[in-house]
Amino acid sequence: MTNEKAKMSVGKKIVVILIAVFILLTAAAYFLGVYYFSNHFLPGSMVNGLNCSYMSVDEAEDLIADKVGAYALTIVTRNNGQEGITAAQAGLTYTPDGSVKKLMETQDRFKWFLAFNQKKNYELSTATTYDKEKLQESVRNLKCMQEQNTVEPSDAYIKETENGYEIQAENEGASLKRKQVQKLIAKAVTTGVTSVDLEEQGCYKKPQVYKDDKTLVKDCEQMNKLTSVIITYDFADRTETVDKDVIKNWLVKDGNGDYTLNREQVAAYVNELGYKYDTFGQTRTFITYDGREKTITGGDYGWAIDQQAETDGLIQAILSGETQVREPVYAYSGWSRDSNDIGYTYVEIDLTNQRMVFYKDGVPIVDTSVVTGNPNIAGNETPTGCYAIDAMKSPSVLTGEDYAAEVTFWLPFAGNVGIHDATWRTEFGGDLYMLEGSHGCVNTPYDQAQIIYNNIGIGAPVVVYK
């Protein structure tokens, strides 16, 4: 038992001694590492892109100096183009200034045993110098910086096409921010960066408006909506079309930045319509019952567009977005909207020949002698021109300063002047009107007046001429 106890005691001592030796060796190795990395870089130390692991200050500075001398910067331009600047072109040199030593002193040497799987990148610029003028000149001489290779960026815009308005994409161009390029390359050569991408670094000028710009998209949609409408004016045997080619000239932006229509320009267009198609009070060429051509002036018959109301109506029609056939809003209307607005149902009165013809749908159903106003008495002559039947009354009493006459058929067309039966007369036509003429009215045989009254309507044209 005594021998066994002695053997166990010796074994324990050996274990203790081994542990102590291990601890001492470990401590020695640790402090040896601390000492070593007091003047050497830790594992994974990258200085200006160079692996300086386990190097002393001098070794690291020699490596940096060698690297600087062989330095070349790759400059990636737009569309994968590449150019370069060498150390010689930049006047690049390395002069130790203690920055490497200072960098080493900042590392945590007491944790050197944790550094084997780490990687630290350091950038030093103070020890690397370049010739400022030489580098700037080299940058200015790059192909991408030349005027002939520079394309200024352009904004996206709205273009008129056959199918409407479309957004044309912006052009990125190829124009560099020169000061920014100079700063970027100067930093690169002093820190040892071997490649810079000018596009990634935002060195290119950019358009201010892109194709997906919300305002641009909204403007294009509004312009297309307004100009896609087709308004067709119906003037019977003629038409006028308001389409994109017309509307595009009226587009303006309102106070909210939305596209709308310029009222003054729309009003000018409506005024042109009136000038072209209005006939109210206009001079007309008229073919008489016996084929003569007469120029008719005066009267109140015809068409006249209500300028203000139609301007409002046209604007609303376009804003509605609905293609449509439109009739203008009229202040005055005739019976026919054809070029011949008198049409084919009308009364024709020939004062010289004291003859009246009534056409219904182009067929003369009344052709009679009449007695018109006495031209020898001031104010009694029947007025010439083109008029419209203003009213229809049966029976009626016609009154004046010195008369009151009962008639059965009364068709006024020029104030108190009108067509009516005259049963008190036994004769019509000839020269009776020169001596026994009326106060201006057209005295008509009863039966003929009845036919006219039964086949005409308010608004029918009455053409009076000499």
Side-chain angles (χ1 to χ4, degrees):
M1 291 294 293
T2 302
N3 289 335
E4 290 179 357
K5 288 182 178 180
K7 289 179 180 180
M8 290 177 62
S9 177
V10 171
K12 288 180 179 180
K13 289 180 179 179
I14 293 173
V15 171
V16 170
I17 292 171
L18 290 174
I19 291 173
V21 170
F22 176 77
I23 291 173
L24 289 173
L25 290 174
T26 301
Y30 171 76
F31 285 107
L32 180 63
V34 171
Y35 172 75
Y36 178 81
F37 287 111
S38 294
N39 48 36
H40 290 80
F41 278 103
L42 291 171
S45 296
M46 304 293 291
V47 180
N48 287 4
L50 301 174
N51 188 357
C52 294
S53 302
Y54 307 105
M55 288 187 179
S56 66
V57 171
D58 291 340
E59 291 172 334
E61 289 178 339
D62 289 342
L63 180 62
I64 293 173
D66 291 341
K67 187 67 175 179
V68 168
Y71 176 81
L73 174 64
T74 299
I75 302 167
V76 181
T77 60
R78 181 161 281 173
N79 299 324
N80 298 317
Q82 287 191 354
E83 297 190 62
I85 291 179
T86 65
Q89 290 175 316
L92 190 64
T93 58
Y94 175 73
T95 304
D97 62 352
S99 59
V100 174
K101 184 178 181 181
K102 290 180 181 178
L103 179 62
M104 182 179 291
E105 290 173 352
T106 62
Q107 65 182 359
D108 191 351
R109 63 185 186 276
F110 293 104
K111 295 182 180 179
W112 61 268
F113 57 91
L114 299 176
F116 292 99
N117 292 323
Q118 71 177 12
K119 185 174 182 180
K120 283 197 173 183
N121 294 301
Y122 302 99
E123 286 189 359
L124 295 178
S125 59
T126 57
T128 305
T129 59
Y130 63 92
D131 186 318
K132 184 176 180 181
E133 292 184 1
K134 198 170 184 179
L135 178 60
Q136 288 180 345
E137 181 66 20
S138 296
V139 174
R140 284 195 295 268
N141 289 334
L142 292 171
K143 291 180 181 179
C144 61
M145 297 285 277
Q146 303 312 303
E147 194 68 32
Q148 63 268 25
N149 298 323
T150 296
V151 179
E152 292 295 327
S154 59
D155 295 341
Y157 66 99
I158 298 173
K159 180 181 179 181
E160 181 183 358
T161 68
E162 292 182 358
N163 299 320
Y165 290 95
E166 296 178 359
I167 295 177
Q168 304 299 304
E170 67 284 349
N171 184 355
E172 294 284 354
S175 182
L176 290 161
K177 302 173 185 176
R178 296 176 179 271
K179 290 184 179 180
Q180 187 170 332
V181 173
Q182 289 281 4
K183 290 181 179 180
L184 178 67
I185 292 178
K187 181 180 179 182
V189 299
T190 56
T191 57
V193 174
T194 58
S195 178
V196 292
D197 188 317
L198 299 184
E199 187 152 23
E200 287 184 358
Q201 296 299 319
C203 292
Y204 283 95
K205 296 178 183 177
K206 296 182 178 180
Q208 295 183 356
V209 181
Y210 287 81
K211 64 181 180 180
D212 57 353
D213 180 82
K214 291 182 179 180
T215 299
L216 192 67
V217 172
K218 181 194 72 173
D219 287 350
C220 190
E221 290 175 350
Q222 291 180 345
M223 292 171 72
N224 276 320
K225 180 179 179 181
L226 289 171
T227 57
S228 64
V229 177
I230 299 176
I231 307 294
T232 302
Y233 276 103
D234 181 12
F235 294 103
D237 57 352
R238 299 149 298 166
T239 60
E240 291 287 337
T241 301
V242 178
D243 56 13
K244 182 184 74 172
D245 290 336
V246 177
I247 299 173
K248 68 182 182 182
N249 300 310
W250 303 342
L251 299 180
V252 293
K253 281 193 172 183
D254 61 19
N256 297 321
D258 294 319
Y259 269 102
T260 186
L261 302 172
N262 184 310
R263 180 181 173 80
E264 291 182 0
Q265 292 179 324
V266 177
Y269 175 81
V270 174
N271 185 63
E272 290 179 6
L273 287 182
Y275 183 81
K276 187 174 181 180
Y277 292 101
D278 282 358
T279 61
F280 184 85
Q282 300 294 315
T283 299
R284 294 175 174 78
T285 298
F286 179 77
I287 305 300
T288 67
Y289 57 86
D290 54 0
R292 289 173 292 151
E293 185 176 288
K294 288 287 184 178
T295 298
I296 308 299
T297 59
D300 62 1
Y301 176 82
W303 301 83
I305 295 174
D306 187 323
Q307 293 290 313
Q308 182 173 337
E310 182 51 31
T311 297
D312 293 336
L314 179 54
I315 290 174
Q316 291 304 314
I318 295 172
L319 293 179
S320 74
E322 297 180 4
T323 292
Q324 57 191 270
V325 176
R326 180 174 178 80
E327 182 179 350
V329 178
Y330 288 106
Y332 299 96
S333 301
W335 261 30
S336 173
R337 184 62 274 197
D338 290 343
S339 301
N340 170 25
D341 69 329
I342 292 175
Y344 300 97
T345 297
Y346 61 92
V347 176
E348 176 184 353
I349 301 171
D350 180 350
L351 298 181
T352 302
N353 294 302
Q354 292 292 285
R355 183 175 177 181
M356 179 170 67
V357 181
F358 170 51
Y359 291 86
K360 183 174 178 62
D361 298 327
V363 178
I365 61 173
V366 168
D367 188 346
T368 182
S369 297
V370 293
V371 176
T372 60
N374 189 336
N376 298 312
I377 300 176
N380 282 3
E381 185 174 17
T382 302
T384 59
C386 189
Y387 301 89
I389 296 294
D390 295 328
M392 297 177 64
K393 191 172 182 181
S394 178
S396 182
V397 177
L398 309 181
T399 59
E401 292 182 0
D402 56 355
Y403 69 90
E406 294 183 0
V407 298
T408 304
F409 309 108
W410 171 231
L411 299 166
F413 61 81
N416 290 326
V417 175
I419 301 168
H420 61 77
D421 56 291
T423 53
W424 57 87
R425 290 188 181 275
T426 59
E427 294 183 77
F428 295 88
D431 293 330
L432 290 174
Y433 77 108
M434 299 295 291
L435 296 173
E436 303 176 16
S438 69
H439 292 85
C441 288
V442 181
N443 291 178
T444 308
Y446 182 92
D447 60 335
Q448 301 302 300
Q450 183 180 34
I451 294 173
I452 295 174
Y453 191 92
N454 291 335
N455 288 276
I456 206 168
I458 296 174
V462 177
V463 184
V464 185
Y465 60 87
K466 292 182 181 180

